[in-house]
Amino acid sequence: MKQTEINVYRTKRKNIMKKLVLSLLLSGIMFAGFAQEKSNVKEGVNRDGRRSAKKEFKLDKKSAEEIAQLRTDRMDQKLKFTDKQRKEIYALQLDQAKKDKMHAADRKESMERMKKDRMAQREKLMKNLSPDQQKLYKESFAENRKQHRMRKSDDRPMRRDRSDKNHKDGKNNIEVSKEVSLKNS
């Protein structure tokens, strides 16, 4: 082999090695990003980065005393209370937990009353409709219910960011990105 052929071979080999190292580095960065995302799920953090307290503590199944104790303990871990502070904070948390329980019970009763009122309204409405209209109404009601269930389920598509509603021209990010890509091509 001639010297020039050897130099060409070496530069090709170096380029291949550079590409290999770069691809390994990028895959490592991607892996670290996915691992970080998964750890947030384990800690009970939602997509916005906020803690989901209801899932963490199951507050609806705990007594006011247990809730106050959990909240006080969590605050104590970060703020390192003195014994006097801990007692005062616990008393405040207990008072708030009792109020929260009372409001939740009121909310539950209100929801049940509203549900009964809606059922009565629906029955009155159905009495005033013809059979064909009743059929159309039931189909429409079933479709609305199906869409409502889909919105409540966990495998629903992600909602648009609230910032999308604030665009001056009323377009969301998807529409804007489509326009940009069309202009660039």
Side-chain angles (χ1 to χ4, degrees):
M1 280 196 191
K2 295 181 183 177
Q3 188 63 28
T4 55
E5 290 177 6
I6 293 174
N7 287 340
V8 169
Y9 175 74
R10 285 181 182 164
T11 54
K12 284 183 180 180
R13 208 167 109 193
K14 283 182 183 178
N15 287 339
I16 291 172
M17 290 300 286
K18 286 179 185 177
K19 289 178 185 177
L20 180 65
V21 168
L22 184 63
S23 64
L24 287 173
L25 181 67
L26 288 175
S27 62
I29 291 171
M30 288 178 21
F31 177 75
F34 287 125
Q36 181 68 33
E37 193 172 307
K38 295 289 183 190
S39 69
N40 287 346
V41 172
K42 291 177 188 173
E43 294 170 7
V45 175
N46 66 13
R47 292 177 185 154
D48 299 336
R50 289 185 241 142
R51 205 171 33 81
S52 53
K54 191 166 185 173
K55 289 181 183 177
E56 182 180 348
F57 294 129
K58 304 268 187 211
L59 297 179
D60 54 336
K61 296 181 181 179
K62 295 194 181 292
S63 69
E65 290 79 14
E66 290 173 319
I67 293 169
Q69 187 66 45
L70 285 169
R71 289 177 178 170
T72 305
D73 290 343
R74 189 178 69 219
M75 289 177 72
D76 189 25
Q77 287 175 351
K78 291 183 180 180
L79 303 175
K80 310 293 185 214
F81 294 141
T82 63
D83 289 339
K84 182 180 176 184
Q85 286 177 319
R86 185 170 176 69
K87 288 177 186 176
E88 291 173 358
I89 298 297
Y90 175 77
L92 291 170
Q93 293 290 358
L94 181 60
D95 185 46
Q96 186 62 46
K98 286 179 181 178
K99 287 179 184 177
D100 291 347
K101 286 284 189 182
M102 186 177 64
H103 291 305
D106 291 345
R107 204 170 29 249
K108 190 174 185 178
E109 290 173 13
S110 175
M111 292 296 285
E112 288 174 8
R113 266 185 282 140
M114 191 167 46
K115 188 176 181 180
K116 288 178 184 176
D117 289 346
R118 284 185 183 160
M119 292 299 288
Q121 174 68 19
R122 194 171 295 127
E123 288 175 15
K124 291 177 187 176
L125 181 73
M126 292 299 276
K127 288 179 184 176
N128 291 323
L129 298 177
S130 70
D132 291 336
Q133 290 173 325
Q134 287 180 359
K135 182 181 176 185
L136 286 172
Y137 179 78
K138 286 179 182 178
E139 289 173 1
S140 173
F141 182 74
E143 179 64 29
N144 289 342
R145 191 172 196 146
K146 180 181 174 184
Q147 289 177 355
H148 179 72
R149 284 185 182 150
M150 188 174 141
R151 276 186 256 135
K152 281 182 83 172
S153 70
D154 290 334
D155 52 331
R156 65 181 173 211
M158 286 183 58
R159 295 181 191 159
R160 284 184 277 164
D161 291 336
R162 296 186 196 285
S163 61
D164 290 344
K165 295 176 185 174
N166 298 330
H167 282 291
K168 292 177 183 172
D169 57 0
K171 297 177 183 175
N172 64 26
N173 287 342
I174 296 170
E175 293 170 341
V176 172
S177 64
K178 285 180 182 177
E179 288 179 5
V180 169
S181 65
L182 290 174
K183 287 178 184 177
N184 292 339
S185 58

